[in-house]
Amino acid sequence: GAGVSQTPSNKVTEKGKYVELRCDPISGHTALYWYRQSLGQGPEFLIYFQGTGAADDSGLPNDRFFAVRPEGSVSTLKIQRTERGDSAVYLCASSLGSGPSYEQYFGPGTRLTVT
Amino acid sequence: AQTVTQSQPEMSVQEAETVTLSCTYDTSENNYYLFWYKQPPSRQMILVIRQEAYKQQNATENRFSVNFQKAAKSFSLKISDSQLGDTAMYFCAFMKHSGNTPLVFGKGTRLSVIA
């Protein structure tokens, strides 16, 4: 079956621009997570959705970052006024439910480069 | 807060040999889960194996097994009969047992399997 997909695969943008990164979770998965992976680091949590609502957004670094999941399926991570420090791979994961007994399935990520 | 430490940035192993990747963690929680994820160059994180802290028996998945030492807060991964396809980044991760909590990852170990 189809896995988690993310688009675009790569995105290059100029400092100060606005970007949107999209995540299509596995059908039927109610939980969706966004992580950011900087070069040479492990993924770091950004935000988690259960259904349509953001259950935990404590990992968002500042108010330039925002994410939505309006219909409980596709999610979009939005970054305003991008900075060079935002350059990273943004990973999305989905699971049937929340909690450690549900495996998180990851997408291939979007590599964001801010020039 | 939980932290996960992987002290080996890079490792290599001959094909068909056995290799052990180290991971230590710090937490005040008593119930939690530990995971090993594999990230090949395609960037897609794949769950290798997981361990529930309240289970004393070490988890095993085919050629992959763990050595879980709860008192020492250590969770190493052993790969037996290493194959070229095992070449990847390996991340150790932690998740609390209760509540909607995200995965906390270590910085990873780059494993190269040499023919």
Side-chain angles (χ1 to χ4, degrees), chain A residues 42-67:
Chain A
E44 293 179 314
F45 169 72
L46 294 176
I47 186 169
Y48 151 65
F49 289 88
Q50 180 60 44
T52 60
D56 183 354
D57 64 358
S58 62
L60 295 177
N62 51 59
D63 61 6
R64 296 187 297 105
F65 288 75
F66 188 71

Side-chain angles (χ1 to χ4, degrees), chain B residues 1-5 24-27 94 104-105:
Chain B
Q2 289 73 38
T3 58
V4 177
T5 302
T24 58
Y25 58 95
D26 190 24
T27 183
F94 172 101
V104 176
F105 288 89

Side-chain angles (χ1 to χ4, degrees), chain A:
Chain A
V4 178
S5 63
Q6 292 187 247
T7 53
S9 178
N10 292 281
K11 175 72 176 177
V12 180
T13 190
E14 293 179 347
K15 179 176 178 296
K17 298 290 188 182
Y18 167 83
V19 295
E20 289 188 353
L21 312 180
R22 176 186 169 109
C23 172
D24 278 89
I26 293 172
S27 178
H29 281 196
T30 61
L32 186 147
Y33 302 81
W34 283 99
Y35 295 86
R36 178 168 72 173
Q37 186 175 16
S38 300
L39 191 63
Q41 304 293 318
E44 293 179 314
F45 169 72
L46 294 176
I47 186 169
Y48 151 65
F49 289 88
Q50 180 60 44
T52 60
D56 183 354
D57 64 358
S58 62
L60 295 177
N62 51 59
D63 61 6
R64 296 187 297 105
F65 288 75
F66 188 71
V68 296
R69 194 186 185 199
E71 296 177 358
S73 179
V74 171
S75 177
T76 305
L77 178 65
K78 308 180 181 194
I79 310 174
Q80 298 177 322
R81 305 182 303 280
T82 52
E83 299 177 356
R84 292 193 180 88
D86 298 335
S87 295
V89 173
Y90 290 81
L91 296 170
C92 175
S94 71
S95 60
L96 266 175
S98 61
S101 57
Y102 295 97
E103 180 178 345
Q104 291 187 26
Y105 294 84
F106 283 80
T110 293
R111 182 181 299 280
L112 176 66
T113 302
V114 182
T115 62

Side-chain angles (χ1 to χ4, degrees), chain A residues 9 37 98 100 106 108-109, chain B residues 39 43-44 50 95 100 102 107:
Chain A
S9 178
Q37 186 175 16
S98 61
F106 283 80
Chain B
Q39 187 178 42
R43 298 198 306 241
Q44 194 144 8
R50 73 177 188 180
M95 181 184 279
N100 300 326
K107 289 188 176 183

